[in-house]
Amino acid sequence: MASSYLLCFTICSLVLFNVCLAQLEQVSQMSPTTEQRRGQQQRWVSECQIERLNAAEPHRKIESEAGNTEIWDENDEQFQCAGVTAVRHTIERKGLLLPAYANAPRLLYVVQGRGIQGQAIPGCPETFHSESGSQRKDIPRDQHQKVRRIREGDVVAVPTGVTDWIYNDGDSQLILVQIVDVGNDANQLDQNMRKFYLAGNPQQELQGQRELQGQSERERQSRHRRPRGSQQDNAGSVLSGFSERILAEAFNIDTNLAQKIQNRKDRRGIIVQVREELRVVMPESGREEEEHEREQGRRLQPLPINGIEETFCSARMKHNIADPKHADVYTTRGGRISYLNAADLPILQHLQLSAEYGKLYRNRVESPHYNQNSHSIVYIIRGDGRMQVVGDNGESVYNGQVREGQMIVVPQNYVVIKGAGENGLEFIAFKTHDTAKISSLAGRTSILRAMPVEVLMNSYQISREDARRLKEGRQDVTA
Amino acid sequence: MASSYLLCFTICSLVLFNVCLAQLEQVSQMSPTTEQRRGQQQRWVSECQIERLNAAEPHRKIESEAGNTEIWDENDEQFQCAGVTAVRHTIERKGLLLPAYANAPRLLYVVQGRGIQGQAIPGCPETFHSESGSQRKDIPRDQHQKVRRIREGDVVAVPTGVTDWIYNDGDSQLILVQIVDVGNDANQLDQNMRKFYLAGNPQQELQGQRELQGQSERERQSRHRRPRGSQQDNAGSVLSGFSERILAEAFNIDTNLAQKIQNRKDRRGIIVQVREELRVVMPESGREEEEHEREQGRRLQPLPINGIEETFCSARMKHNIADPKHADVYTTRGGRISYLNAADLPILQHLQLSAEYGKLYRNRVESPHYNQNSHSIVYIIRGDGRMQVVGDNGESVYNGQVREGQMIVVPQNYVVIKGAGENGLEFIAFKTHDTAKISSLAGRTSILRAMPVEVLMNSYQISREDARRLKEGRQDVTA
Amino acid sequence: MASSYLLCFTICSLVLFNVCLAQLEQVSQMSPTTEQRRGQQQRWVSECQIERLNAAEPHRKIESEAGNTEIWDENDEQFQCAGVTAVRHTIERKGLLLPAYANAPRLLYVVQGRGIQGQAIPGCPETFHSESGSQRKDIPRDQHQKVRRIREGDVVAVPTGVTDWIYNDGDSQLILVQIVDVGNDANQLDQNMRKFYLAGNPQQELQGQRELQGQSERERQSRHRRPRGSQQDNAGSVLSGFSERILAEAFNIDTNLAQKIQNRKDRRGIIVQVREELRVVMPESGREEEEHEREQGRRLQPLPINGIEETFCSARMKHNIADPKHADVYTTRGGRISYLNAADLPILQHLQLSAEYGKLYRNRVESPHYNQNSHSIVYIIRGDGRMQVVGDNGESVYNGQVREGQMIVVPQNYVVIKGAGENGLEFIAFKTHDTAKISSLAGRTSILRAMPVEVLMNSYQISREDARRLKEGRQDVTA
């Protein structure tokens, strides 16, 4: 009898024990979630627990019909700290990047090629027209808003919530690198980059399905980003989420056309091949165009939509930063640097962003410096070199090579030295302040030059002669 | 013997097992806490993990002697995302909403009735006087600051930290709906709405005692908000927290009066019945008053308190947005829309808020649009209708009915279509930007109209004719 | 047999039970981590769950060769809420505080003594010269940027990322108290104060090694701050993190000197004894200097570095706030108060900070008031007194004594009353807004005075006579 009791008890006890274990497991499973949230939390508040930067290649690639899109890892600590998402579009000839807007201001740099960009701003006048592709007399000319020619070296500003599209009408690939400044005040959502497509069926970009298989378990479980899996089936343009009927009513079209513009079966991705070529008549590129833009700005008044003047209508949105004649610093032996801020391109004040372009000749080393009031997101356009970045503890957070196509964040106030390799070094740096300021430690306009020689002598425990050498060893301005 | 062993062991084992379970339970209880904190975190950093919006009714109601106050659920994800708290006051005839200030700017809309509002700004001149209720010659006239008449359709701005009171001197209930923009930069505390009452004993509002019994377990345990329970007994006006003696000293009054103004036994709530009627002499309502306000603004200079000119003194603080003659968009068949921003009411630039008023005629559908640079907190004043809201993945986050008294948040950049029902639809939308901009997808000033027809053809894979139809199907401006 | 079964089962069961307990323990250990993160989270988002303020002494002290540095506890809830770090430097005669910059704007107050401050701003002209200490004719005069004389009562502004150094050339200790406004928008890193030293080897300050032994277990495990332990060995100036070779190249100096300026063996701390005295020629102190500053501002134009005018070059950076002739409020019996904001010192608009200086005579009580749009970080310069601070629930968060050398945060909108003790009370309050505004409840420019007497009667349920007494009991302006 005792043994039957025992058996009963044993079974009962094991059952209970399993319940206990099962619950334990459940509780334990919450822990990784908790850990992941820690990461997320750091992102939101951009904690910059930078221990190591890296010269990063893009993290995932989405193929489209007429090009591809590469996105840098949003979970990479350096991008989280800077509060930006970085993207590179490669648009093939006659490729069209579909119209979309984002929840934060964007700064684009044209790495290669030429094309046309349109920014659609409701309330601005439709002052441009396209010739119809078929040239048939019975088709009236199409009126639309200003479009702008973009070419290698251009920095293009796109404000938060402004829809733009880009068309490659050049002879080679059009390559664009851009940052989306999700940490910007103008983004009132959260620090996820959100791209709202007006057309197409861009689930691939948004879900990053392909590389999900390639990434680590940790990242897959990560909740840094919104879980996209559940929305896998219905990801699409913003139009796809409405009912056909209300869409037809709102656009005053039939439900058949409403269904078409929802593009639910579209498999072309976000860069599509243009069948009917775009023929936009526009002033010739170069100085005339800019003058035209400016003059147009003076003459045209926007419709009084939203109750306030739409100053965006006449604003210039681009500037060629790579043009040698715009260089701010130039030395025959060192290289050149151009700064682009609100003084040159006023819209940048609105965007709270600016840029710096640099070309270092082979084996040249620039002055040690730090960004006084912004982060600096550096993209290597061409060439290679080395970089050292040092933080507030004197800790080295980067000491290594950089090469074409890589991106690295230099956090605010961290000291950096870039040196060109055998092939020189050409870079664009996006800055998270509309009037980014640099403080050089060496050279003619440096901090050390600004201090009395006795301060240097006593600070570094060096002789007067050494202090003078330190102040005057480097004579150029910056590069 | 074995069985006695067994019995002993069984008891012992069950005891231990219970300990184990008890501990497990304890640990498990942390999990919901953890989960809730997640919610909190989202709030602080306004993560907008919006999966479903809802047309929300107020969540709790606090009865006062002469009215009631209803508060929307601060833990509702949509309000967390927008960073606002929404409140509706219903003030009975001769009811006085006690003087108080908040840790964030507020925008009020007068849904119904008329009354008087005073904003007390230290350093501004006391240019108004009230007749004494008793009309006794021996009582000198009372001097105080400007008060303003408010009436149905008025939007009233109250800056952060400014004390205001409201008195219903009309013939019907005075109903006010307001948002407190806790996500505003001007709030340096945290995202809890904090109302600092200068009088009364408002523990009910602050503790929400009544509805605590009605709400779910989850909510009760929630730590989204500061735990109020422990402060239950001493919640009161800001004066109640001081010692009588120091209060008497500081006001230069006797301790008896000091004790009175602490109102510790007051049970009237935050809207009290006025015994001695307020008789404020003021210019007649309407145009004269506004002109008077403007003129007064020119003449009066504030005392140089705080070392800088108090521009608030002469600032207009209200604007009637529902007045048809202020409509920005009007179509005989569709309805009308009015925008109110810093161009009309300059103080809004300081508050970083603006508003939109709309009246859609029966069965009319407005153009699909998104808010370019702000959230939109929509309150249905009268009528009913349906709304569809779509996010960046094309996911539908709302598709349903809305009716009088409900509030719904349309997050920044999310696309929305509103349609009126059989009774038409009248709404006020509070915007979290001083110059909120709307981008319409259809109509005369829309994004699609701004794009070349070939871009539409290739984006949507439609014919030239369909693209034209899409651009030109809707001809009105917005509504 | 049953008993051997029993034995086996007992052992087996106990083993399993231990496993269960061990796992439980593991899970439980996560809870404190979770709890700590909660704290951290509050910091980042500055949640102000203020339940108790305290009049705080500095938390850790770092001795240097020629002075010491005291830092208030960054984990103290009140400083977390205000988003500031507070520091006090005591510089001995001929001591030099090494050149450094921080990731946030700073406001200094000179508590005692006199000295010289230099702010090195790249691109600004080098218009000052020092005489060489040795007076040898063969050594050319040294050119450097403007330095400014600082003395007791001065408030000195230092923008984000601007390098400054301070030298005590007076006859007594130079004592400075400063706040670093890490919660400021200009800080794009995180809410850790980061000081970037250009010289020296300041590991002690950064690691706070000494007091680590003194602090509680909770604090040691805390992750509010970056773990410094691992960086213990290589903490140093920003130069120390670079390789000697690249430093030599970048400064165009030999590697021997490069090694020297890395100061890796330096044990002097951050305030060093000056061997070769600094002899800066400058205009005499007082009015002439300020006039000189202003005039200089008009004449000198900065180099066009960074593509935009460096308005900092000519900006005044200091103002004597304790000077009785600058008092904004003065009563013969009460004391005096001076406000310093952008109207007096325009650079403060850029820093988003301002200050208030007060001197209360013995046993005087100031008017109850709150800070409308900022926190107030109060430092007691001299004397003692008592303070009461009350929050939105009427809860008393501070009611106690304050004395010389203590610091206390009065959060935005919380109501405060300060009273002087037998020795009077002298204080400086740093404000986290460039135009901080105060709302007094009592006195000639108060909220109660601004309201109609009937509003007071009905709010407090008091008679007309009492309401008048309340409005007019206190007749002074503020103090």
Side-chain angles (χ1 to χ4, degrees), chain B residues 9 16 20 37 101 122 140 142-143 145 161 186 188 190 194 198 226 231 235-236 241 243 250 252 268 275 306, chain C residues 9 17 20 34 48 370 375 388 392-394 412-414 432 438 445 450 453 458-460 466 468 471 473-474:
Chain B
F9 176 74
L16 282 173
C20 171
R37 205 157 49 243
Y101 58 95
D142 177 46
Q143 297 252 326
Q145 285 183 6
Q188 297 193 358
D190 52 32
R194 293 171 194 245
L198 290 190
R226 291 177 295 160
Q231 292 152 4
S243 67
N252 194 22
R268 298 173 300 165
R275 315 292 169 193
N306 292 353
Chain C
F9 176 75
F17 193 77
C20 172
T34 306
C48 289
Y370 59 93
H375 299 296
Q388 292 193 13
D392 56 323
N393 270 333
Q412 183 186 18
N413 289 359
Y414 279 53
T432 57
I438 280 176
T445 57
V453 76
N458 284 288
S459 295
Y460 296 116
D466 275 348
R468 269 190 201 290
K471 280 186 82 164
R474 190 175 183 118

Side-chain angles (χ1 to χ4, degrees), chain B residues 44 103 182 187-192 194, chain C residues 46-49:
Chain B
W44 301 139
N103 60 331
V182 288
N187 173 18
Q188 297 193 358
L189 289 163
D190 52 32
Q191 293 213 9
N192 290 301
R194 293 171 194 245
Chain C
S46 11
E47 186 176 353
C48 289
Q49 204 143 356

